[in-house]
Amino acid sequence: MSTPAASAPPASAEVVASALAGAGYLADDASALVCFLAQRLGKPVLVEGPAGVGKTELAKATARATGRPLVRLQCYEGLDEAKALYEWNYRKQLLRIQAGGDDRDGWSSVHDDIFAEEFLLARPLLQAIASPEPVVLLIDEIDKTDQEFEAMLLEVLSEFQISIPELGPIAARSEPIVFLTSNNARELTEALKRRCLYLWIDYPDLERELEIVRLHTPEMDERLARRMLEVVHEIRALDLHKAPSIAESIDWARTLLLIGAQDIDRETFTKTLGILIKHQTDLELVAQRVGVSLEARSRLGVDGK
Amino acid sequence: MSPGPGPFGSVPEAGPPGLTARLLELVGALREEGLRVGTSEILDALEATSSVTWSSETAFREALAATLAKSPEDRRVFDLVFGRFFFRAAEAEAIRQDLAATEAEAGATPGDEQDIDLEALAQAVREAVAEGTDPQMRDLARLAVAALGRQGEGVGVVGVDVQRIRRALGLQTHAGRRDDEPDPDEGPTLDRESINAFERHLRRELERRLIERTGTLPPARPLADLDRALPSNPAQDLAAVHRSVKMLKRRLATVGHEHRGRRHSSVVDVRRTMRTALETGGVPLRLRYRPRRPRRPEIFVLCDVSTSVTSASLFFLSVLHALHDAFRKLRSFVFIERISEVTEVFARERDFTEISRKISSDGGVADVSGYTDYGRVWLEFGEQVARDLGPRSTIIVLGDARTNGRAPHAPALGAVTARAGRTFWLNPEPRLYWNYGDSVISAYEPFVDGVFECWTTQHLEQFVGLLAGQAPEPQPR
């Protein structure tokens, strides 16, 4: 479905922010602004940041907010154009050749025929480009691919077209909103970065994360949610293999709701720690550091009353 | 700042009016700080700024940042340059319109100093810093400068004044007692970041006063390198060091992979090609290639852990830690006066803090005087380890080459490096300080394949790229 909002670029960053909020994503100023600019300038957005801060979710939310379908290309090492752009359907081509191979002058017709769009298997990038209605294209974890693949993306990202040697360039029928996400596992090439708007998303501050968590678990008591996030932030400040992501704090909130915890004392904390921390060494460190401070704090709380 | 007015000595010219000119000046300043900003990006920036409201500083800054600064490091530099640039632009404008005089009068007169209750001020500052509210910190910085600024004194050494004021206010990080539990009696602990923020306000305020007093802008200085990205800065948290090394570790893990494309002299895998060909009726339409094995270099790392590189060695140790995860064939040594192998320690311990504790306490570093003796280190290394070296091995030395006046024994190093395939030296000091004092890096330089300064993660990354095989390989297959 193509709503009017999908075709016309939004008027301001605030409009984008509220649209995203409507889609269940609370964007900070920078994210909303960059999304707005992306739609305004028609440029792809390169989103970087630690794992689990909502990079992919931003693209999904944009798709929901603009009512566009989402086309996703998950990158991995060794991804090549056959899986990202297009592929010739060899079997079908072969069948076509064999079917027409009997009569004498068949070849001349076949040989023009087998490189037609009919025999093309569209992969995500071609899908996004060729789609008659505008889409949101998400190229996830671009840093996992090879540099050659990046170079291949350049044409798609700057011209919104794909050149197929046998067919010539296929231009976009509609302008997609493109998001590229990266975990910064390797430095992306200058050429790619130059064509993108850059957005760095970091862990949100406490107040914003509180809003996010309460958006997802509205039944949760605000005081408890705040208390929980204080602990999460304390954990993030530690030197861990993997800091808890936003998704994990939401999971934790849900768990706390489920077990009906009223307060985060040491026992509930250690019981539910596995939801936040997924590394053995991290577990030990957190149990040791945060467990102790939790005890101190609850003692303080009692004294305060 | 090539497109704009030159370094400000006196009251600057206004330059051509309009946003485009300002933006070009800003880009000039950014380029001077090492950001690679292309013309197409300037065009993007202009287009972006024309789609946002200029009344909001955040919107304006974010729009520029999204188009001009394309990595977290660049973003940090961008924020610094952006702040400095518009601060200077505003001050230059103020001087031109002669607004300064009245404001300077209204500022602190010597009489003010007694009027402000220091205790209350320090308390208020501590609260503001703990809460991290920006406007409040700015106001308090202004107040603190008024109270403690001591006009006329310390002209031009803003940094010294900042430290003095900070100390007078009793702002201390909890870095010193990080192992202790947070003590409820000591009030909120202040983290490094917010104190830094407060210091930035102080600095800004002091600079503003200086400009008001003298009526001129000081010459535009490049950003102090320490401001930019420095994990070896002792003031920074260990966690910050580790974060950057963690990123490096991931890059190390993938390094070389991106060069494994099939363009480079790949070998066709006949079995797999024929097997895929079955799908297409035995016609080999698609070739399959044999995967290339990444090179596994043998690395020997020697790390100076003496006091002259205390701050850097923390950084280096964590680098070593990261290297150990990435390269299987790695032997590491630490040295001060003598050398000792710590490969075992790294292999046994997973936790970095534990490692650094072990190394500093019972790592076996024969540390008689606490002064580095590079000459002796080479001799010992030659005796104990040199026979394990081969053309495949790479030696990496992490140290400042400060021998404390002892004999450098450069030929001994030469004998060692002659046996190894490659030798690199990473020096934690900026190139400017090399060969000053007791640094004898130039004596060692002829014997190694490369000497690199290495005091930011960026330097390190460049080096890692080199190590992982972008450089020509002397070793035959």
Side-chain angles (χ1 to χ4, degrees), chain A residues 184 193 196 198 239-240, chain B residues 66 70 242 246 250-251 279:
Chain A
N184 218 353
K193 285 186 170 180
C196 300
Y198 184 82
D239 180 23
L240 299 180
Chain B
K70 306 267 169 101
H242 226 174
K246 211 176 286 168
R250 267 191 292 151
R251 291 215 175 136
E279 288 182 2

Side-chain angles (χ1 to χ4, degrees), chain A residues 7 53 145 195 261:
Chain A
S7 46
V53 290
T145 58
R195 283 166 176 79

Side-chain angles (χ1 to χ4, degrees), chain A residues 34-69:
Chain A
V34 171
C35 280
F36 159 69
L37 286 176
Q39 295 176 47
R40 203 58 189 261
L41 311 183
K43 288 197 141 282
V45 183
L46 172 62
V47 193
E48 286 192 326
V53 290
K55 299 187 288 290
T56 307
E57 195 52 40
L58 177 63
K60 289 189 194 160
T62 308
R64 287 197 297 271
T66 52
R68 297 175 176 213

Side-chain angles (χ1 to χ4, degrees), chain B residues 302-315:
Chain B
L302 286 103
C303 182
D304 185 352
V305 289
S306 69
T307 42
S308 64
V309 286
T310 311
S311 54
S313 63
L314 193 63
F315 172 50

